[in-house]
Amino acid sequence: MSSQGQNTGRRPELRHDPVANRWVIFSPARAKRPSDFKSKSPENSNPGDNSSCPFCIGNEHECAPEIFRVPSDPNWKLRVIENLYPALSRNIEGPCEEKEDMGVPARAIGGFGFHDVVIENPVHSVHLCDMEARDIGQVLLAYKKRIQQIASVESIKYVQVFKNHGASAGASMSHSHSQLLALPIIPSAVSARFEGMNEYFKKTGKCSLCEVQAKELLIDESTHFISIVPFAATYPFEMWIIPRAHSSHFHEFDCDKMVELGGLLKLMLRKMSLQLNNPPFNFMIQTSPLQIVPQLSGAGGFEMGSGCYINPVFPEDAAKVLREVNLPVAG
C-alpha cells in the first residue's frame, strides 16, 4: 500500500450529493493518511464447530419456512427462507389500515411486510467474496426473483436488499447471508433520493448516476459496470457499483449481467478486505447502484442531529487507495 497520503494543507470542504440530496463535510484534519484508515476490529472467517448453525446444509429443519432453493434438490447452492424473527409480518390479513386517533399528531399503519433471508452458500466457512462470480451472480438472481415475486403484492411499496457482514455491522449469524425487507411505505431517505435525482434531471436533463465520469473517483470497471467512490461519499471508503447504461431497476439485469456484476462485487469486497484489514461492512442495493459501506467510523451527535455527515477521507483519495490493489475482475 502506498505511503503517500492526503495533502496536509488541504482545506475542509462541503460537497452536495445530488443523488441523496444532502451535504457532506470532508474534514481531512480528522484523519492521518487514507491508507492508515483501517478497521481496528477485523472480522474473522468462520472457523470452529458449525454443527449447530441452522443455515448449514443438513440443518434445514432448524430454519423458518423455505421460499425457494437453487437448485431445487437436496444439494442446494443457495436458499431463500422466511426470517425467523421478522421486522414485519406477512401474516397480517387485509389492507393496512391507517390510524390517526392516537392522541398525537402522527400516523400509524399495520406492520404488514416481508422479511426474508438469502443463505448465500451451504458451507459455513465460505464468505461471499470467496465465491466464484457465477455463484455470486446466482445470489443476485435470487434477489431478482424474490423482488419480482413480492412486486405482485399490491400493498408493498418498496423492497430493500441488504447484507450485514460482521457483528458490528448488524449481523447476528456468522454464516454468509443477506436479507430482503419489503415495506408497505416508501422510507423518507428513499423518497429524498428519488426527489434529489428528479430535481437534478429537471435542472440538467441528465441522470445524476449516469453523469459520474470523473476518473479520479473510479476504482475499477467491467463491460457493463463501473465501481467508484461517490463524489460526496457519506462514509469513509464508501463504494458504488453503477451500470454504464441507464437502468432504473436492479431486477432488469439479465443473467449474464448479474454474473458480471457478481465479479465486480467480488473484486470490490476483496480490495476492501486487503486494504482496510477485513472490516465489517454493509451493502445495499439502491434500485440500480449497489452501495458498499465498510464500518470504519460511527455517527456522532452532530450527524444524528443534523443529518449531515463528516467524512475524514476525500473520495478521490479513497479511490486511489482502492485502485492500488491490483486484482483482476473475476470472470
Side-chain angles (χ1 to χ4, degrees):
M1 189 182 301
S2 170
S3 61
Q4 183 178 357
Q6 288 173 294
N7 183 347
T8 55
R10 196 164 188 178
R11 297 178 179 180
E13 186 173 301
L14 283 85
R15 294 185 179 183
H16 182 256
D17 178 358
V19 177
N21 195 22
R22 65 183 178 190
W23 290 89
V24 178
I25 298 172
F26 290 89
S27 181
R30 297 169 68 90
K32 295 181 181 179
R33 300 171 299 176
S35 55
D36 291 336
F37 214 85
K38 293 184 177 183
S39 173
K40 296 178 177 61
S41 55
E43 286 301 315
N44 296 322
S45 57
N46 294 340
D49 180 21
N50 57 15
S51 60
S52 62
C53 173
F55 290 175
C56 286
I57 193 165
N59 294 341
E60 294 85 352
H61 60 284
E62 298 182 19
C63 292
E66 181 178 295
I67 299 168
F68 65 85
R69 63 173 64 185
V70 179
S72 56
D73 60 52
N75 295 317
W76 52 271
K77 288 191 173 182
L78 69 85
R79 292 205 309 143
V80 179
I81 64 173
E82 296 179 14
N83 194 310
L84 192 60
Y85 305 102
L88 296 170
S89 174
R90 72 191 72 214
N91 299 318
I92 295 177
E93 296 182 0
C96 297
E97 295 182 0
E98 189 166 323
K99 303 175 184 178
E100 295 189 9
D101 58 351
M102 300 173 66
V104 293
R107 300 159 62 195
I109 61 175
F112 171 76
F114 297 89
H115 192 175
D116 302 334
V117 174
V118 179
I119 304 171
E120 299 158 353
N121 193 287
V123 180
H124 191 83
S125 60
V126 176
H127 290 294
L128 192 66
C129 65
D130 300 322
M131 295 164 56
E132 297 293 330
R134 63 178 179 274
D135 294 326
I136 299 176
Q138 287 299 315
V139 173
L140 300 175
L141 286 168
Y143 299 157
K144 173 180 177 176
K145 178 178 178 178
R146 187 60 183 141
I147 290 170
Q148 290 173 330
Q149 290 174 341
I150 293 172
S152 64
V153 180
E154 185 178 358
S155 57
I156 293 298
K157 306 301 181 187
Y158 179 74
V159 181
Q160 174 76 76
V161 177
F162 63 98
K163 178 178 177 65
N164 305 328
H165 173 78
S168 60
S172 58
M173 299 284 292
S174 60
H175 192 124
S176 191
H177 68 285
S178 40
Q179 301 179 62
L180 294 91
L181 193 54
L183 310 174
I185 52 93
I186 298 177
S188 300
V190 176
S191 295
R193 188 164 65 245
F194 289 156
E195 290 167 7
M197 295 183 73
N198 190 45
E199 181 180 334
Y200 184 89
F201 181 80
K202 286 180 178 178
K203 287 181 178 178
T204 66
K206 299 175 182 178
C207 169
S208 56
L209 285 174
C210 294
E211 283 295 283
V212 177
Q213 300 290 340
K215 290 185 177 180
E216 62 268 22
L217 300 175
L218 182 70
I219 305 170
D220 219 306
E221 56 190 330
S222 64
T223 304
H224 296 99
F225 299 93
I226 63 172
S227 58
I228 64 162
V229 178
F231 171 76
T234 303
Y235 309 99
F237 293 91
E238 175 183 350
M239 294 170 273
W240 287 1
I241 300 178
I242 304 171
R244 291 182 183 272
H246 181 82
S247 177
S248 300
H249 300 290
F250 162 82
H251 57 266
E252 292 176 345
F253 301 150
D254 61 21
C255 181
D256 290 341
K257 286 184 180 178
M258 287 295 194
V259 172
E260 182 185 329
L261 177 58
L264 194 54
L265 173 58
K266 175 186 174 77
L267 179 64
M268 292 303 99
L269 295 179
R270 291 179 66 202
K271 282 176 174 278
M272 178 179 65
S273 178
L274 288 169
Q275 288 292 63
L276 302 177
N277 198 24
N278 192 23
F281 69 86
N282 305 95
F283 80 58
M284 295 73 67
I285 294 177
Q286 306 283 13
T287 307
S288 185
L290 193 155
Q291 179 187 20
I292 307 168
V293 179
Q295 292 295 327
L296 300 171
S297 62
F302 173 76
E303 287 88 352
M304 289 186 281
S306 67
C308 181
Y309 283 74
I310 301 174
N311 189 337
V313 183
F314 274 93
E316 48 269 38
D317 295 328
K320 180 177 182 296
V321 168
L322 293 166
R323 279 197 305 270
E324 288 175 353
V325 187
N326 188 18
L327 296 170
V329 177

